[in-house]
Every structure is written in C-alpha cells, then in structure tokens.
Amino acid sequence: MKKTKILVVGNGMVGHKLIENLLNSPKAAQFDLVTFAEEPRLAYDRVQLSAYFSGSTAADLMLTSEEYYRSNGVNYVLNEQVIEIQPEKNCVITASGRTESYDKLVLATGSYPFVPPLPGRDQPHCLVYRTIEDLEAITASAAVSKIGVVVGGGLLGLEAANALKNLGLETHVVEFAPRLMAVQLNEGGGQVLRKKIEKLDVKVHTEKNTQEIVAGEKCRYRMNFSDGSFLETDMILFSAGIRPRDELARKANISVGERGGIVVNNFCQTSVDNIYAVGECALWSNRIFGLVAPGYQMAKVAASHIGGGADQFTGADMSTKLKLLGVEVASIGDAHARTPGSLSYVYQDGINEIYKRLVLSPDGKKLIGAVLVGDASVYGNLLQICLNGMDVPAAPEQLIVPASDGQAATGLGVDALPETATICSCHDVSKGAICCAVRDGATTIGAIKKYHQSRHRLWRLCGTGDSGDEQRTHQIGCGGQYRYLRALFLHPAGAFSSGAGGKNSDLRSAAGKTRPRSRLRYLQAGGGVDSGELLE
C-alpha cells in the first residue's frame, strides 16, 4: 500500500507537535513524514529561551532528537530553507535547489520579529530575540556593552529585558504605548507592573516613538525620539511584536490576509485543499494566535484531518500567566472590559504593589475577564471559572481579596470542575482524560504517563519531570493549573467525585473570612476604563 507523504515545512514547537500527533495517529503506519528545518537543530522550547541566560544549554531546551526522529521513521533536513511551493506539481523547492514532492503539505513556518523601519536599525549590536543563534549573538554583544535597550514593552520585550539584566547590563525598556503589556493589561495593572519593574533597576520609557539610531557620544548608539528626547545605549534589542511568515504562500498564490497570515479554515486547510498551515503563520477568522497552546491545537486539528478525522479549530483561549523579571502577571479573557455593560471588581494593595481586577458579565453572574499583577496565585481558580462558564459567588470579591486571617483568597476544589475542564491547555489534557487513566488503574505519575503516550511531552513543558518535580510544576505549571494538576496526579483518590459537592468545591467562603465588601468599589466598566476607582 502506498504511503501518504506528508511534508512539514518548519520544525519549531508547532511543527514538531504536528509530527508527534501524526506519529501517534491510528493511521501512523500509512504516513511517510518529512520535515525541513531552517535552523541547525531540531525543535526546541522557545517558551523557555530566557533559561539560556541562567545556565541552561541548547541541549536542555531540545524537545526532540535526531535519534527519536530516525527511530520513528521521520526524515528530516536541517539548515535547509524552502523557498518555493509549486501546488500544481505538489512539490517544494529549497534554497539549495532540492525538489521534494508531497501528497499533503503543512506550513509551520511560524513568525519573524518585527523590526521598525528605522534609519540605523541594521548596524552591529542591533539584534532580535527569537532563536538560539540570536541568544548567542546577544551574549557576545553583552560582553562588550554596558547599557542595553529593549524596544518593545510587551511579553517578549520584558522577557528580553530580563535577559539583558541577567547579563549584567544597565537595562532600559522603550515602549510606544502609554503602558507596559498594553495588550494584556489595563491602565491600573500596567501602572503597578511598571512600579515593580522599576524597583528592579530596569528603567522604563513609555510613549516613546524612536525616529532614528545614530552614533552616540558616551555610548555606541543614540536613539532619537519624536518628542525631542534621546537615549544612549551600547546594544539595542528589538522585541516589538511578530509578523507571520507567509511569503511561501504569497508566492504560490495561496490566500493570505490583508495584514498578513495564511488564511485557514476550521480544519487548518489553506485555499489549496492539500496544503495546511498551523501556528503563528496561520490566520484563522482574521486572527493570528501568538501563543504556543493555540498552535498545538491547530497541529492536533491538522493531524486529525490528514488522518480522516473530524476535529476542528474553533478559536483558542489567549489567557496567559507568567513571571516577568520576577513579577507575576496574568491576563484572562476580556481583561479590558470591552464587553458592553460589563462590571468590574478591583482590589489594589499599594504597599505590596498587588493589583487584581475581575470583569463580570452584565448580570454579574459570570467571570469574563481578569487582570492580576504582583500576585497571580488565584489565576488557576479564575481561569477555570471563566473557561467553564461557572457562576461566581454571591460576593465575587472573595475570589481576589485575601481572607482577614491573611490566608489566600477563596479556592475552587478540583472536584468542582466538570470532566471537560482543561488541566493542560498546551496539550489539551482534560480532567476527564486524567480521571479515566486513574480509573483504568494508572495510579502513579509514571503509569499515567504511559497511559497517555501521545502526551509524552506534557511533563517537560507543563510540569513535573520524571520524578514528579513539584517545584518545576509550580513554576511552569500547566497554564497555572498547578493545584489541580497536583490534586489529580499526586492525590488522585479524592479527586473524582462527579458533582461539585466536595469540601473545597463551594466558591463561597465562610462568613467573616473575607475583608469587608466596602473596601472595594463595584464598577460599571465604560469603554474598558475604570473611572474613579476607590482602592486600598
């Protein structure tokens, strides 16, 4: 029987996840898998790139190995860029002139860092933060620099700032918007984040529009801003967003969006039926998804469709939780309260620099968004309540206000979650899937890992190592779902009641356990702006 030849262009995190899904497909024996990687190595964990500056090596970041691919019959080509697709001939052409045919083609080309078109941007020591080779260049530049500037105050920009600080440079962040992380945080959250980061000796410059990069007087370069001010630096690290790599599709007349991205349907098919696109290069419903979890979902859907399945991609949750320069930050759903008539609760501790905001539906019954800065310990609770459409307590502030005895805010027990609740968003592992494994006799971490062989990367990316490393789980944590992960994996015995009647399942805390309600203001959100918030 002739095998179906599947060619995957790009071997990043999402391209590799697609290959894993195909290898674990019931029809895996019918596939002939080939992948091209532009980089000199196979897939590695870009999410953990900053670990490179705290002692991790390129080998530590690897998600797979050449031995693994060889043993599973995956043909791979490193250091080879695909430069042309010929859909009418079902083949691609590489930079070296190689022609490779396919039955199904998957574009997992990802994205590239956006560098503003500034005069002087192409000079030495003007770098980007994307690949291991970029990290090596940053390290080399830092060795001959004293001051470093990151252009961009978003997620990647602040991660890059952390890298420069770890390298011993005086670190600055230049952001065009009026606040840091403008996409994820509202004004209140952005202000608290700025204060905390500036306390770490990272200098923040917002509302700065860089006009040019010229020779400096005291440092290597001088950045001139549109308001007449300037900043001198030895190194400039651009982290001002990403753009989808869709040039292959454009050249082949495959449909792309007006602002970029390869247009795909719910099966991740492009305008050419036997060509798919997944990850940051794909445009679904006019949206680019710049997180790894949606890319993994797309990889699962594309692999399913290639194998004759019916899975569909219908969007993805873009909630996120991370530590930036040691500061906990999280954003859930409609964090800016753009839903008409939405209601907000805000808790702010000015002394400890903690900011928390809940965004509720107009009837006050459902959680539709949240912002957490300085303390994201309740992220797991809030995310599950939001994603599963659960009703909030009668006094919603209990979810974010510490109890009067200094304990954490009211929690949500794992038994309160429905079977469909996602415990690991990166790998789409539900509570029900884990419970099923336990009911079938997998009562140890090792046994559950074997039961879910198709999830064998769950532990590397989303938590425990082979020995059940709880500290790593808590740091990386299955989208912040550490508490539920721990309850399900480490203490499975009481985690499987079918209803919400467990002792921890009631969202309402005991009387008198929360701070007086008058210490928060119940807000009507207008255009995403909280007017006159009365806070601590």
Side-chain angles (χ1 to χ4, degrees), residues 181-249:
M181 289 183 64
V183 174
Q184 291 83 12
L185 301 182
N186 66 339
E187 184 64 32
Q191 289 176 358
V192 172
L193 177 62
R194 177 171 184 159
K195 287 180 182 178
K196 293 183 78 71
I197 286 179
E198 288 180 331
K199 278 191 174 181
L200 297 171
D201 292 328
V202 174
K203 298 173 177 59
V204 178
H205 312 263
T206 52
E207 297 185 278
K208 294 295 182 182
N209 183 7
T210 308
Q211 296 295 294
E212 61 180 352
I213 301 169
V214 298
E217 295 181 5
K218 297 180 180 180
C219 297
R220 187 174 290 127
Y221 298 123
R222 167 173 159 159
M223 302 171 66
N224 291 326
F225 303 126
S226 60
D227 61 4
S229 63
F230 64 89
L231 177 62
E232 293 215 355
T233 181
D234 298 307
M235 179 205 300
I236 299 172
L237 191 51
F238 291 102
S239 188
I242 59 172
R243 297 293 185 270
R245 291 193 58 186
D246 56 14
E247 62 273 13
L248 285 173

Side-chain angles (χ1 to χ4, degrees), residues 42 62 64-74 76 457:
L42 293 172
M62 296 305 295
T64 188
S65 67
E66 295 184 37
E67 179 184 1
Y68 174 79
Y69 273 16
R70 283 194 297 265
S71 64
N72 284 277
V74 180
Y76 60 92
R457 286 293 172 185

Side-chain angles (χ1 to χ4, degrees), residues 321 379-384 387 417 422-425 473 476-487:
K321 170 181 176 275
Y379 174 80
N381 289 338
L382 301 182
L383 183 64
Q384 292 293 352
L387 294 183
L417 301 179
T422 299
I423 301 299
C424 174
S425 60
T473 309
I476 300 173
C478 280
Q481 303 304 293
Y482 166 71
R483 196 159 60 84
Y484 302 120
L485 181 73
R486 187 174 188 276

